[in-house]
Amino acid sequence: MSDYYGDIEAAEEYPRYLQRHVHGLRSLDVSAKSNIRQQPGQKLQRLTRGRIVEADLITITIQRLEQLFGQTDDPSFLIKTGLVANKAENHFADFKADILRSFKEWSGSRKRHVPPPILSVLRQAYTENGENGIDAQLKFALQGHVANSTFTKSDILNQVRLADLRYPYEWYPATRAIQRKIHLHVGPTNSGKTYHALKRLESASSGIYAGPLRLLAHEVYSRLNALGKPCNLITGDERIMVEGDEVSMSSCTVEMVPVNRNVEVAVVDEIQMIGNDHRGWAWTQAVLGLKAQELHLCGEERAVPLIKELAAAMGDHLEIHHYERLSPLRPMSTSLNGDLRKLRKGDCLVVFSRMQIHAYRKDIEKITGKRVAVVYGSLPPEIRAQQAKLFNEPNNDYDFLVASDAIGMGLNLSIKRIIFESTSRHNGEQLKTLEVPDIKQIAGRAGRYRTATDAAKDVIVEGNVDSDSQNPMAVTVPAAPGTNLGLVTTLERMDLPIVQRAMQSEAGPITTAGIFPPDSIILKFSKYFPSETPFSYILLRLHEIARIHTRFHLCNLRAYIGTADLIQEVKDLTIADRISLCAAPVDTKDPGAHKIILALARCVATQRGGNLLDIHELRLEILDQPVTTDREYLKQLESLHKSVVLYLWLSYRFTGVFPSQAMAFHVKGLTEEKIDRVLTEISLNRNFKDHLKKLKEQAMLKALQTQVGLAEHGTQPSVSTAIEELEIERGLASFGVADIEQDVGHGVPPK
């Protein structure tokens, strides 16, 4: 590998490093470190805090320092900050003196119009999160002060070298030794781009499919096996390995791609997600690392410039295939005005909450007298395929479909009209308005050129597949452009302009690819820190000093850091153990999950006690209780489901520690069955829906006033705030609001 550093360059970097890290303070993503939940709709409050004068900011900082000092006798605080009990007071006194000295030097300086780096960073933290932001920033700075006290100049130079992440191509030397042919298939939904890539995969002697969802990985797995091509399924919490020596195909979620395996063809779906702030690293890993003679990338046109740059940098041959939509698509001029009686056969209502999916199913069946199919990501594959088949079949009474955004990626459904129940969705933290590409991708599912029934005939001829196959992906057969017009509208009038604008807009090109430091770099980097240094600080420090090429960006650390802090108190975990545990699918906002990950981490540390029935933090007794629609009961079921998925995820990484895999799958199935039984009984009353609609309308007007500077006060809620507060009040935010359509544990890299 080429040496991009050199002693001269590292020596030049050293003084810049010191300048950027005065007293360990920096421009930190405070919300990542502290897990602070930033409330939406507080833009004016942030502006007000941003106007604070330096003298007041210094006063607040000194007050927070005093409160911080009061925690130095708390054992949990010492663990999280890496302080040793008998040295804590001395370290803190030195740390406080450094900051006060900096304040004093600045106040006596002639250049008071230029604030020191310390104040700039604290101002940013205070602007974003008030006093909580300052607290998080000071804790991070204290960790830096403690760690820096042990560093020599040589240590810092070596850290800088390890943190040079400008050339991720070099992380895959075996792949760089071959020249690949990259086929980039780009176009809108329903253009046949994925179909052509999968047809090439079917004809290959060996291959890999990598998709963004478990749903898609499962469908391609079923499709290839049905065509007589033995294929394994590999996702974060499930592995199905086909017996026999002739297995040469794998269908994976993109994070689980085996980059060191030689194959003839690899297909990577939804390549535009390479720019995602949380999961983009997985697409970058696939593009840079897959050892395929032919690499087929499928996605949106906006990915073309970046893929061109990456292909040129790797020395691979690139061929671009452009596709046009096979059927017309247009937005309607009117919404349904909240009237479900206006639904027509072939309509799909898109809803972003599992609970509301089932509630709308009940309402529609009651109002129209017709049956309704449902599709969402966490449905078991067999049930999901059955529901898709029922909706696609023209000669039954399943006239409507209620679905999550899972339909936006790959499922072939004979939808005539897409209807957005809302143009905002919960992202795990807050409600946010859908982005233009998301709206267009979901809307594009309307007007599919071939129905499943028609296309099944072609599959029978081509692949000798049983005509009763329930695989909706196996029947996607594009043909010549037709006149099957697709329509897009909204349930409520206030959401329609957002959809109409999105359909007329073009999203800008993707400019950077996400990356995440490989395990090998994290392991080497961590060796420079004292053993008591919090792992979260090591990760933040690596991100802090990392050098990144302008073609790349570092993916968000929030989930990783949250888990790192939760398990910091567990002794005898190696750095490799912590890396794997931090990559696990842990809901750090769920108090119950805190106990589960701690229990599982202790099993890893001691290498025993990992039988499912021996983990008392798993509340298995909930399965013996009768099914009710009580909010707390459903919340406990969903918490158990997440915990069992976490157990399964870890069972593939720590096989000897967690042996109860078969039992865990059984418990997972029982839990899903009970959750579905609860959800089918839930309905939203009319008064609640009307109240929610009014709140959304009022909040939208106030948000618009705030944006144009017409609001008289700085406390008016945004649309997101009003809806979120209402959903929390009614208990919706605690179960099923966010149907996160991705493989578990994939906001951060798996082992």
Side-chain angles (χ1 to χ4, degrees):
M1 184 187 298
S2 302
D3 181 7
Y4 292 106
Y5 321 110
D7 291 337
I8 295 177
E9 182 177 356
E12 290 175 348
E13 179 68 17
Y14 179 65
R16 290 198 294 271
Y17 173 91
L18 292 179
Q19 184 179 12
R20 285 157 52 200
H21 299 79
V22 179
H23 311 301
L25 284 167
R26 58 181 280 275
S27 180
L28 169 71
D29 178 3
V30 176
S31 58
K33 178 67 185 79
S34 62
N35 251 347
I36 295 169
R37 179 170 180 168
Q38 296 192 35
Q39 294 294 332
Q42 303 300 317
K43 185 174 181 180
L44 289 183
Q45 289 188 12
R46 290 198 296 270
L47 288 174
T48 301
R49 290 198 297 256
R51 298 191 187 102
I52 187 172
V53 297
E54 280 74 8
D56 291 341
L57 185 60
I58 290 173
T59 300
I60 293 174
T61 301
I62 294 173
Q63 292 172 350
R64 305 315 295 177
L65 276 170
E66 293 299 330
Q67 291 203 16
L68 200 62
F69 177 72
Q71 301 178 48
T72 53
D73 57 353
D74 181 355
S76 64
F77 177 79
L78 297 179
I79 291 173
K80 291 179 181 179
T81 54
L83 288 170
V84 180
N86 60 353
K87 298 180 181 179
E89 289 192 15
N90 290 337
H91 273 306
F92 195 89
D94 291 343
F95 169 67
K96 180 180 177 182
D98 282 348
I99 291 182
L100 295 180
R101 187 183 307 113
S102 177
F103 288 163
K104 186 175 180 180
E105 290 174 356
W106 172 74
S107 62
S109 170
R110 295 180 179 178
K111 297 182 178 180
R112 292 196 60 183
H113 62 283
V114 181
I118 296 174
L119 278 178
S120 298
V121 171
L122 289 172
R123 176 184 291 279
Q124 178 181 341
Y126 182 74
T127 300
E128 291 298 321
N129 287 296
E131 293 182 354
N132 287 335
I134 290 182
D135 287 346
Q137 197 66 256
L138 290 175
K139 287 178 184 178
F140 177 80
L142 177 59
Q143 291 171 340
H145 176 85
V146 175
N148 288 346
S149 65
T150 66
F151 293 151
T152 65
K153 179 177 178 179
S154 176
D155 290 337
I156 293 177
L157 291 177
N158 287 328
Q159 289 179 31
V160 171
R161 290 188 178 117
L162 282 172
D164 190 332
L165 308 180
R166 291 175 294 172
Y167 309 99
Y169 321 102
E170 302 295 342
W171 299 345
Y172 312 96
T175 307
R176 296 291 76 76
I178 63 175
Q179 185 179 40
R180 303 173 300 175
K181 186 170 185 178
I182 300 177
H183 293 269
L184 179 58
H185 305 266
V186 293
T189 53
N190 194 22
S191 60
K193 56 186 184 295
T194 305
Y195 164 78
H196 285 93
L198 289 177
K199 292 299 290 183
R200 178 65 186 95
L201 179 63
E202 290 172 11
S203 66
S205 59
S206 60
I208 294 171
Y209 169 81
L213 312 178
R214 287 172 295 181
L215 177 153
L216 295 182
H218 216 288
E219 302 297 358
V220 173
Y221 155 80
S222 300
R223 169 180 179 153
L224 291 173
N225 280 298
L227 292 172
K229 307 282 285 190
C231 178
N232 296 325
L233 175 68
I234 306 174
T235 72
D237 64 339
E238 184 179 18
R239 313 244 174 119
I240 302 178
M241 313 307 284
V242 179
E243 295 183 1
D245 299 329
E246 311 242 339
V247 181
S248 58
M249 296 283 183
S250 294
S251 182
C252 321
T253 44
V254 69
E255 288 87 350
M256 303 302 298
V257 162
V259 294
N260 57 350
R261 180 177 150 201
N262 290 300
V263 295
E264 181 183 350
V265 173
V267 175
V268 180
D269 214 351
E270 306 297 344
I271 189 58
Q272 71 277 0
M273 290 192 71
I274 196 170
N276 187 273
D277 286 338
H278 299 275
R279 300 180 68 200
W281 65 269
W283 275 263
T284 304
Q285 173 184 266
V287 171
L288 303 187
L290 273 168
K291 292 175 63 179
Q293 298 172 32
E294 291 182 27
L295 179 60
H296 292 255
L297 310 176
C298 309
E300 299 175 14
E301 191 84 35
R302 60 197 180 104
V304 170
L306 179 60
I307 298 302
K308 281 183 176 180
E309 292 184 17
L310 294 177
M314 293 183 292
D316 291 330
H317 175 73
L318 176 64
E319 188 173 319
I320 303 175
H321 308 270
H322 296 274
Y323 298 83
E324 298 295 331
R325 185 175 168 84
L326 297 172
S327 60
L329 175 69
R330 67 173 175 82
M332 297 181 66
S333 59
T334 59
S335 71
L336 269 61
N337 287 321
D339 188 354
L340 296 176
R341 292 173 299 180
K342 295 182 179 180
L343 289 171
R344 307 194 295 241
K345 184 176 178 62
D347 280 351
C348 172
L349 181 65
V350 178
V351 182
F352 300 106
S353 157
R354 269 195 301 162
M355 192 193 73
Q356 288 184 292
I357 286 174
H358 287 282
Y360 273 109
R361 176 190 62 78
K362 287 187 67 176
D363 283 356
I364 293 170
E365 288 182 344
K366 181 179 179 180
I367 291 171
T368 66
K370 298 290 185 178
R371 303 297 301 276
V372 178
V374 295
V375 170
Y376 51 90
S378 57
L379 269 179
E382 298 78 11
I383 298 177
R384 188 169 55 237
Q386 180 189 52
Q387 291 289 303
K389 184 180 179 182
L390 287 171
F391 176 71
N392 286 335
E393 173 59 52
N395 299 318
N396 63 23
D397 60 349
Y398 279 84
D399 285 6
F400 313 116
L401 176 69
V402 180
S404 73
D405 57 339
I407 65 165
M409 295 183 180
L411 280 178
N412 184 34
L413 297 159
S414 51
I415 298 169
K416 296 179 181 178
R417 181 171 62 168
I418 288 286
I419 301 163
F420 286 87
E421 185 270 337
S422 175
T423 52
S424 60
R425 67 162 294 172
H426 207 281
N427 66 0
E429 296 172 11
Q430 62 188 48
L431 280 168
K432 293 189 68 176
T433 302
L434 295 173
E435 301 288 341
V436 169
D438 297 329
I439 291 176
K440 296 182 76 170
Q441 187 167 44
I442 295 170
R445 294 300 156 187
R448 301 289 288 175
Y449 183 73
R450 304 295 299 277
T451 67
T453 303
D454 294 337
K457 301 174 184 177
D458 295 348
V459 175
I460 295 169
V461 173
E462 294 179 12
N464 194 28
V465 177
D466 184 359
S467 61
D468 290 332
S469 168
Q470 294 183 341
N471 181 357
M473 270 204 68
V475 293
T476 306
V477 182
T483 57
N484 190 20
L485 175 65
L487 299 173
V488 186
T489 188
T490 60
L491 181 62
E492 303 292 349
R493 182 176 57 185
M494 62 183 174
D495 291 310
L496 185 60
I498 296 174
V499 170
Q500 290 174 329
R501 284 195 299 269
M503 296 301 293
Q504 301 301 322
S505 303
E506 292 295 334
I510 299 167
T511 56
T512 58
I515 60 172
F516 199 92
D519 291 359
S520 58
I521 289 180
I522 297 175
L523 284 167
K524 292 176 183 177
F525 191 78
S526 65
K527 291 179 180 178
Y528 290 99
F529 294 82
S531 59
E532 64 272 10
T533 304
F535 186 54
S536 61
Y537 176 77
I538 295 173
L539 293 172
L540 286 165
R541 181 63 164 266
L542 177 55
H543 272 230
E544 171 191 0
I545 67 174
R547 287 183 286 177
I548 308 295
H549 192 282
T550 54
R551 195 175 290 132
F552 301 98
H553 68 266
L554 278 172
C555 285
N556 192 287
L557 269 177
R558 181 171 300 178
Y560 216 103
I561 294 300
T563 303
D565 282 340
L566 287 176
I567 63 173
Q568 183 58 41
E569 65 184 70
V570 181
K571 305 292 186 183
D572 300 323
L573 286 174
T574 66
I575 293 298
D577 291 338
R578 293 187 185 276
I579 291 173
S580 294
L581 288 165
C582 287
V586 180
D587 183 0
T588 55
K589 296 181 293 297
D590 179 5
H594 298 184
K595 297 178 181 178
I596 296 297
I597 188 61
L598 272 174
L600 297 176
R602 291 189 182 105
C603 293
V604 174
T606 60
Q607 293 290 294
R608 63 176 184 269
N611 286 306
L612 193 72
L613 297 180
D614 293 338
I615 302 172
H616 302 297
E617 288 78 4
L618 288 169
R619 298 197 57 192
L620 298 176
E621 66 275 8
I622 190 70
L623 296 176
D624 295 327
Q625 297 180 15
V627 174
T628 73
T629 57
D630 179 69
R631 168 190 171 188
E632 188 60 30
Y633 174 74
L634 181 55
K635 186 177 180 179
Q636 291 176 7
L637 280 176
E638 294 205 327
S639 181
L640 175 60
H641 186 268
K642 292 175 185 177
S643 299
V644 175
V645 167
L646 173 60
Y647 182 95
L648 286 168
W649 194 94
L650 291 172
S651 72
Y652 289 110
R653 279 87 179 162
F654 302 97
T655 309
V657 179
F658 303 108
S660 309
Q661 202 173 83
M663 183 180 292
F665 274 115
H666 178 65
V667 171
K668 178 172 175 278
L670 291 176
T671 309
E672 289 171 346
E673 179 184 338
K674 284 185 174 289
I675 289 173
D676 280 335
R677 285 176 60 189
V678 174
L679 292 175
T680 56
E681 297 301 319
I682 291 176
S683 61
L684 301 181
N685 63 64
R686 184 71 252 173
N687 290 337
F688 170 72
K689 292 180 181 178
D690 291 342
H691 184 45
L692 177 59
K693 179 180 177 181
K694 289 178 181 178
L695 272 180
K696 287 172 68 176
E697 289 174 342
Q698 293 170 4
M700 186 174 289
L701 288 173
K702 291 179 180 179
L704 290 173
Q705 290 176 338
T706 300
Q707 290 175 14
V708 299
L710 297 179
E712 296 180 0
H713 305 289
T715 57
Q716 298 188 44
S718 67
V719 180
S720 300
T721 303
I723 299 172
E724 185 174 14
E725 287 177 353
L726 179 60
E727 293 205 353
I728 290 175
E729 176 188 348
R730 296 282 178 159
L732 306 186
S734 64
F735 48 86
V737 171
D739 185 17
I740 305 297
E741 301 293 348
Q742 65 183 51
D743 194 23
V744 293
H746 286 164
V748 287
K751 177 74 173 173

